[in-house]
Amino acid sequence: MAKPDHSLPRRTLIKGAGVLGATLAGALPQARAADQPADIWSSEYRAKKGDVPLWMYRKRLGAPKAGEAARPVVVFVHGSSVTSRVFDLSVPGKGEYSTMNEFARYGFDCWTLDHENYGKSGRTSGNSDIASGVEDLKAAVEVITRETGQRKFHFVGESSGALRAGAYAMVAPERIDRLVFAAFTYKGEGSPTLTKRAEQVDYYRTHNMRKRDREMIRSIATRDKPGTSDPAVMDVLAEVELQFGDQIPTGTYLDMTANLPVVDPEKVLAPVLLVRGEFDGIATVADLEAFYNKLPNGDRQFVILPGTAHSVVLAINRALFWHATRAFLTMPTPIAT
């Protein structure tokens, strides 16, 4: 059984360079949770965005070893109403719901983080909008680079996490290997979800936090198409999420109702996989096609997952998302012509 090396001392805080002046803390090894598969190693990390501490989490097969071959790194970016736990949910009796476990077994070095004002990361008076999320990712990749020795990573974002990843890709193309945008929205035209959400736009403009209670989390399973997600899984998600309180930032909701588009497809240079659930109300097929057609890289795909709605990582048909994403991230390098 691979376990973290608990004999390692906690590393000294290091002053980071760059536009953020980020202070990066070392890895914080943790014991394997009782419900964590024995083949998966995990560790917590800390990054600093200015004075804001950001919690990071990593999973892979076995602890890192000196001299081993580098593994492809994938960074999972969470959305508006949940923390990074959405990518590592344990639901006893329901099968595998941890996307991080699944991709660790595929051979990836999996990372995620809680954005500012989410989960275990620092609390501020800000609203944690898309621009703030970009700065979070800038700080996070410095930690990942230090720990893995790599400088280019895959990014998988869901919902506003896809917007965060896309906006980051525009300003740091040298850091991007391949991008997966799940439950993405471009201009939001014709979106029933965003039309309904826009009724509260004045509230989002004047408040930095909004209510996110148990019923709101449960509605993830029913908002677009009941039956595409298991309500019992959403109950588990609610238990995990509400340990951090019933308030969540408004910034990404404001961006999606008043400031779209926030990602310019012509400035996203990396290969892109767009993934849409068949019944997702956040964006129409036409909206996503408009984005897809403007992407400059010919290495791109648009996949619609049947029997799936907005949350592809917690869908009953989540294996379809895993399959499409794994296939895209492991595409052979094309021969130049």
Side-chain angles (χ1 to χ4, degrees):
M1 180 188 302
K3 295 182 179 180
D5 182 359
H6 295 286
S7 66
L8 291 175
R10 182 170 179 172
R11 300 180 184 179
T12 306
L13 292 178
I14 304 170
K15 286 288 185 182
V19 294
L20 296 179
T23 302
L24 307 177
L28 304 174
Q30 63 175 31
R32 182 173 65 84
D35 59 353
Q36 179 171 304
D39 54 346
I40 305 293
W41 175 91
S42 65
S43 188
E44 297 183 6
Y45 297 78
R46 294 290 188 274
K48 274 273 189 103
K49 180 182 69 172
D51 294 329
V52 182
L54 301 174
W55 183 84
M56 301 178 64
Y57 191 54
R58 178 187 190 185
K59 279 193 163 185
R60 46 168 279 167
L61 286 179
K65 297 178 181 178
E68 70 176 356
R71 301 183 189 185
V73 172
V74 58
V75 183
F76 294 99
V77 189
H78 72 75
S80 301
S81 299
V82 293
T83 69
S84 62
R85 279 100 202 132
V86 72
F87 299 116
D88 192 38
L89 197 64
S90 176
V91 188
K94 295 290 185 177
E96 183 65 89
Y97 267 90
S98 170
T99 303
M100 295 184 77
N101 283 351
E102 193 72 14
F103 278 77
R105 294 194 188 99
Y106 294 158
F108 291 94
D109 193 342
C110 301
W111 292 75
T112 191
L113 71 149
D114 286 341
H115 287 283
E116 177 184 327
N117 289 323
Y118 286 87
K120 294 183 179 180
S121 287
R123 297 299 191 266
T124 72
S125 60
N127 70 353
S128 303
D129 59 8
I130 299 300
S132 173
V134 169
E135 298 304 306
D136 294 340
L137 292 175
K138 288 179 181 179
V141 298
E142 297 303 325
V143 174
I144 301 171
T145 294
R146 187 190 70 234
E147 295 297 323
T148 67
Q150 301 186 61
R151 296 191 60 81
K152 294 186 74 173
F153 319 110
H154 303 309
F155 285 80
V156 176
E158 186 180 47
S159 193
S160 66
L163 296 176
R164 289 177 173 117
Y168 175 72
M170 291 194 298
V171 300
E174 74 283 357
R175 292 291 205 171
I176 308 298
D177 195 342
R178 301 176 82 80
L179 293 163
V180 178
F181 296 156
F184 184 78
T185 188
Y186 177 32
K187 295 182 179 180
E189 296 171 350
S191 163
T193 296
L194 295 183
T195 299
K196 180 65 176 177
R197 194 175 293 173
E199 296 173 1
Q200 302 295 319
V201 68
D202 289 339
Y203 182 90
Y204 306 144
R205 292 186 192 279
T206 56
H207 296 77
N208 285 345
M209 302 294 285
R210 60 183 172 87
K211 189 82 167 179
R212 190 271 316 249
D213 58 13
R214 188 177 303 274
E215 288 307 310
M216 186 273 159
I217 295 172
R218 284 174 173 165
S219 74
I220 295 172
T222 59
R223 186 179 73 198
D224 296 320
K225 179 74 169 178
T228 55
S229 294
D230 186 339
V233 172
M234 298 306 159
D235 286 338
V236 172
L237 178 65
E239 289 297 323
V240 172
E241 289 289 331
L242 291 176
Q243 67 179 305
F244 303 113
D246 63 357
Q247 299 290 315
I248 210 79
T250 58
T252 56
Y253 267 32
L254 178 60
D255 279 335
M256 285 190 283
T257 54
N259 300 322
L260 290 177
V262 295
V263 179
D264 182 348
E266 295 180 356
K267 295 181 180 178
V268 178
L269 305 182
V272 171
L273 168 64
L274 275 178
V275 179
R276 179 187 188 270
E278 178 185 5
F279 302 107
D280 190 3
I282 202 76
T284 64
V285 171
D287 185 58
L288 297 179
E289 284 179 337
F291 181 86
Y292 177 86
N293 290 334
K294 291 182 178 181
L295 291 167
N297 196 318
D299 187 353
R300 63 187 190 268
Q301 298 179 27
F302 182 14
V303 173
I304 297 178
L305 302 180
T308 305
H310 183 65
S311 180
V312 296
V313 300
L314 296 182
I316 290 173
N317 287 320
R318 61 199 177 280
L320 300 177
F321 172 66
W322 297 342
H323 176 87
T325 300
R326 180 187 186 184
F328 182 72
L329 297 185
T330 56
M331 286 277 288
T333 302
I335 299 172
T337 57

